[in-house]
Amino acid sequence: MLDDTHRFLDLATGRLGLDENVQKQVKKANAEHIFKIDLDNGKSFNAYRVQHNNQRGPYKGGIRYHQNVTLDEVKTLATLMSFKTAAVGLPLGGGKGGIEVNPRELSAEELEELTRKYVRGLHQHIGPDQDVPAPDVNTNSTIIDWMVDEYEQLTGDTSRASFTGKSIPNGGSLGRDAATGRGGVLSLIEWLTLEGNGEKPLTYAVQGFGNVGSFFAATVAEMRPDWTLVAASDSQGAVYNADGFDADVLQQFKDSKGRFTDYKQGKQITNEELIALDVDVLVLAGLEDAVSKENMKAVKAKYLVEMANSPVTFDAHEYLGDKGHVLVPDIIANAGGVIVSYLEWVQNRADEKWSKDKVNQRLAKYMKSATNDLYDYVTENHVGMKEAGFVLALKKLYE
Ligand code: NAD
């Protein structure tokens, strides 16, 4: 994954004619914090925070709890964050954190102890003007609220601007939970409109119907009820229904901890079959490397939306781009979360609480503007969309 990101960066730096020093600088993180967290019961976990670039503002990026977290993965995600915040024009930098843990194997007490100890290990390096973490895979507002509380106890900071993704009573922003999914839909609709295809009813499939995937579908149901959600999946399996699923019903099923392998109102298919479905839009909202050399030739969807980070590998990007598929790149497609995180931080600092409508309007402005820039660059320069996204971000970061 890190290699793939670097290959995209090489393409983009090459296109801009940036010298070797800049190429090296782009890939290097400013700081890597690596430590162990020991629980009172003797369990021990590897923890990371990588701060990639803060040229445009404080480091910004989520914290992931997953058994496959590695330093390389956190570095890649931190790099992507610097490019994401730049691509959509936020005054923020890029960072990422993670703990190598399967949170499902911990009790609630162990999870809280782990979370508070993560903040104890990092508090000197983070803060409202320095580095503002947020939730990511397997972390949520409850975990972030513990982090804010721990940070306050350690530093005395009561602004609550030290983290974003907080619960609403604790200073979170309305609209943050749906923001990433919503942003992806806004970007896709804007792209289709620019292409002259904005009015067509479409079919779509969502690989990874979690937070991001389910809010993508909920936003489609709100904004484009003429589109049909024909398939959805989780890590275990997928369900298919040519007549379409109700996004709300699927979201309620997932919220009640259901698995699609037990879902009866559709045909059971595998994740690989979902990726190969003959749909207009394939929404990739699971994890990285979902479409690679192994399965890229099976993809039939004209449009792929990278809602996860790096769900399409470099080779698959090249192949699908050559075949005329349209790939809305992660650094723009999934930037809705960091945009509303930024809006949460702004509200905390000004001691304000905005309505959901106001938040959504601001989000739409950022997404539309970034997608228009992307469209202009791609059509004027005849380059792949991901490369174009990196070029636009690089211009803001280094020119
Ligand atoms: P989540 O844990 O809520 O949902 C992920 C979903 O993907 C789950 O349903 C899981 O079962 C499924 N999944 C995991 N592996 C899969 C696989 N191999 N095949 C099919 N499905 C699989 O996480 P999320 O918050 O929705 O994040 C999803 C992705 O979006 C991640 O890559 C994350 O980094 C990225 N992202 C999230 C946000 C955010 O605001 N949450 C912002 C930007 C990017």
Side-chain angles (χ1 to χ4, degrees):
M1 187 183 170
L2 188 58
D3 283 353
D4 273 4
T5 303
H6 287 172
R7 286 168 82 186
F8 282 118
L9 282 175
D10 287 341
L11 277 184
T13 46
R15 180 163 291 278
L16 285 177
L18 299 174
D19 69 34
E20 235 175 73
N21 282 339
V22 180
Q23 284 193 24
K24 277 191 197 144
Q25 197 188 330
V26 166
K27 291 175 189 166
K28 211 170 156 313
N30 289 348
E32 294 172 11
H33 305 284
I34 304 164
F35 53 105
K36 278 228 180 289
I37 299 176
D38 297 318
L39 299 188
D40 293 344
N41 60 16
K43 290 183 187 172
S44 182
F45 301 94
N46 294 320
Y48 309 96
R49 181 78 186 166
V50 173
Q51 297 170 321
H52 177 258
N53 184 301
N54 62 350
Q55 217 150 300
R56 295 173 55 83
Y59 302 107
K60 189 88 194 78
I63 298 165
R64 176 176 291 200
Y65 288 3
H66 198 277
Q67 59 276 20
N68 298 339
V69 162
T70 60
L71 179 60
D72 258 8
E73 180 185 69
V74 179
K75 273 195 212 170
T76 311
L77 294 169
T79 310
L80 284 174
M81 282 307 297
S82 301
F83 286 88
K84 195 180 300 185
T85 51
V88 295
L90 296 175
L92 295 171
K96 201 79 181 188
I99 305 180
E100 188 186 340
V101 59
N102 181 351
R104 285 174 192 84
E105 291 174 358
L106 298 187
S107 67
E109 292 73 28
E110 286 174 324
L111 192 64
E112 180 169 351
E113 186 189 340
L114 179 81
T115 298
R116 288 184 180 277
K117 285 185 169 167
Y118 183 76
V119 176
R120 274 180 232 165
L122 265 185
H123 72 276
Q124 283 162 333
H125 307 291
I126 58 176
D129 295 306
Q130 208 176 341
D131 182 352
V132 187
D136 190 68
V137 175
N138 293 331
T139 48
N140 54 26
S141 58
T142 306
I143 288 175
I144 295 295
D145 285 355
W146 288 330
M147 290 190 176
V148 172
D149 183 56
E150 191 64 31
Y151 185 79
E152 272 185 24
Q153 289 182 39
L154 291 164
T155 65
D157 176 280
T158 55
S159 69
R160 295 174 176 176
S162 50
F163 293 82
T164 59
K166 300 174 289 287
S167 66
I168 303 297
N170 197 35
S173 176
L174 293 170
R176 172 63 184 88
D177 51 358
T180 306
R182 189 175 190 88
V185 178
L186 289 163
S187 181
L188 176 61
I189 291 178
E190 188 66 15
W191 185 275
L192 291 163
T193 306
L194 290 164
E195 272 186 350
N197 288 322
E199 299 304 317
K200 287 186 186 159
L202 302 177
T203 55
Y204 72 107
V206 179
Q207 192 233 20
F209 202 81
N211 177 295
V212 172
S214 65
F215 278 113
F216 186 103
T219 309
V220 169
E222 173 197 326
M223 298 175 86
R224 292 304 302 260
D226 56 328
W227 292 11
T228 310
L229 170 62
V230 297
S233 74
D234 54 32
S235 57
Q236 308 297 309
V239 283
Y240 173 80
N241 183 347
D243 295 332
F245 290 110
D246 182 320
D248 269 358
V249 173
L250 285 194
Q251 195 166 27
Q252 281 162 23
F253 176 75
K254 288 307 292 176
D255 286 348
S256 65
K257 306 255 177 273
R259 287 185 182 277
F260 285 132
T261 42
D262 301 322
Y263 196 71
K264 302 286 178 251
Q265 277 73 45
K267 185 182 161 204
Q268 301 285 328
I269 58 170
T270 63
N271 264 297
E272 284 307 306
E273 287 171 320
L274 180 143
I275 282 181
L277 282 175
D278 192 2
V279 285
D280 298 307
V281 182
L282 178 59
V283 180
L284 298 164
L287 288 178
E288 55 275 0
D289 300 344
V291 179
S292 65
K293 260 184 181 168
E294 275 72 56
N295 58 2
M296 63 192 185
K297 290 187 178 150
V299 172
K300 297 184 192 71
K302 164 90 193 265
Y303 300 92
L304 289 88
V305 191
E306 286 195 312
M307 295 308 296
N309 292 308
S310 303
V312 182
T313 65
F314 184 88
D315 293 322
H317 251 281
E318 298 287 279
Y319 174 83
L320 292 166
D322 286 349
K323 295 274 173 205
H325 296 261
V326 174
L327 294 97
V328 188
D330 50 4
I331 58 171
I332 291 176
N334 73 24
V338 72
I339 292 169
V340 176
S341 271
Y342 167 66
L343 300 177
E344 178 178 333
W345 181 74
V346 170
Q347 290 173 72
N348 296 148
R349 307 207 76 167
D351 202 15
E352 288 178 359
K353 275 202 175 293
W354 299 351
S355 69
K356 197 195 268 190
D357 276 354
K358 180 169 174 177
V359 171
N360 284 344
Q361 276 166 19
R362 300 258 174 127
L363 168 65
K365 220 171 153 186
Y366 278 104
M367 292 308 304
K368 284 185 184 181
S369 162
T371 308
N372 272 274
D373 290 348
L374 185 72
Y375 185 83
D376 289 346
Y377 194 85
V378 167
T379 45
E380 280 161 23
N381 298 281
H382 308 289
V383 289
M385 290 168 76
K386 184 112 165 183
E387 183 184 338
F390 275 103
V391 168
L392 292 171
L394 267 170
K395 282 181 168 214
K396 289 187 186 150
L397 273 170
Y398 292 98
E399 271 190 359

